[in-house]
Amino acid sequence: MGALRKEEYYTVSDIFALPDGVRAELIDGQMYNMAPPGRSHQRVVAELTYQISRFVREKQGNCEVYPAPFGVFLNQDEINYLEPDVSVICDTSKLDEKGCYGAPDWVIEVVSPSSRRMDYFVKLFKYQNAGVREYWIVDPQKQRVCVYNFEQETAEEYSFGEEIPAGIYEGFSIKMQV
């Protein structure tokens, strides 16, 4: 009879102990290393951050918009730490210098080949259960955006080039370009 393999269990302190330049996320005590994003990924994140920030500023809203790397202590526990590509937080009492404690209102993940399963399955479930109001999965390879409005219990799919309405902001939409 072989020895049972002890499963590693990590906490937020392990995330902060990583060497400079090494990024990882923590989901239910499991650490997932993050590959450095490519140029096209960063271009999409920058454009989304710009459009959302501009809308919030023009409407004099109180929400804050942060691109990755930005720490989200999703369940305010020691075993869940994520760095969404874009986080929109409207309750600024959740924020401090280390990041957001609790669920952001709106999370956007831009799919990379290495993140596909995490973005479409694992993070979808985590964000929904943590209280995120809206979750977008932007898939540049497939040129589509999946929009999950957890408050309305809807899931929609849009193609790049279509106007995509933001559920948490009345009258705001984004058109994803290639």
Side-chain angles (χ1 to χ4, degrees):
M1 185 171 187
L4 289 176
R5 187 177 149 266
K6 181 181 178 258
E7 192 163 324
E8 292 289 331
Y9 190 77
Y10 297 96
T11 67
V12 171
S13 59
D14 294 309
I15 292 287
F16 287 112
L18 291 171
D20 284 348
V22 176
R23 290 179 48 215
E25 292 182 308
L26 189 62
I27 299 175
D28 296 329
Q30 296 301 302
M31 192 177 303
Y32 299 91
N33 290 322
M34 299 170 69
R39 185 178 68 85
S40 58
H41 179 279
Q42 289 300 90
R43 190 175 63 235
V44 171
V45 169
E47 182 61 24
L48 287 165
T49 302
Y50 169 74
Q51 287 192 42
I52 297 166
S53 296
R54 190 183 74 209
F55 177 81
V56 170
R57 200 168 25 257
E58 286 172 1
K59 298 297 181 189
Q60 298 176 348
N62 63 339
C63 300
E64 296 192 19
V65 184
Y66 295 97
F70 177 76
V72 173
F73 302 85
L74 195 59
N75 298 326
Q76 299 184 61
D77 58 23
E78 288 295 307
I79 60 169
N80 288 284
Y81 171 88
L82 291 106
E83 292 184 359
D85 287 315
V86 180
S87 301
V88 180
I89 299 100
C90 298
D91 177 358
T92 56
S93 71
K94 292 180 179 181
L95 299 171
D96 75 3
E97 280 304 306
K98 287 189 176 182
C100 176
Y101 292 82
D105 293 271
W106 184 8
V107 169
I108 301 173
E109 294 285 6
V110 178
V111 176
S112 298
S114 63
S115 73
R116 186 167 299 283
R117 189 184 73 79
M118 289 294 289
D119 294 338
Y120 278 104
F121 300 104
V122 177
K123 289 182 179 180
L124 171 66
F125 177 76
K126 289 304 291 183
Y127 291 143
Q128 182 177 22
N129 287 326
V132 169
R133 294 166 55 198
E134 186 166 353
Y135 176 43
W136 287 21
I137 303 172
V138 178
D139 194 330
Q141 185 179 6
K142 295 184 178 183
Q143 294 192 14
R144 73 174 183 201
V145 180
C146 296
V147 175
Y148 297 91
N149 184 321
F150 297 132
E151 289 182 319
Q152 306 295 323
E153 298 181 0
T154 60
E156 306 279 340
E157 188 172 294
Y158 298 88
S159 295
F160 278 31
E162 288 184 272
E163 290 287 335
I164 306 168
I168 71 165
Y169 291 122
E170 186 77 30
F172 177 56
S173 64
I174 294 175
K175 186 185 287 190
M176 295 298 307
Q177 303 296 338
V178 179

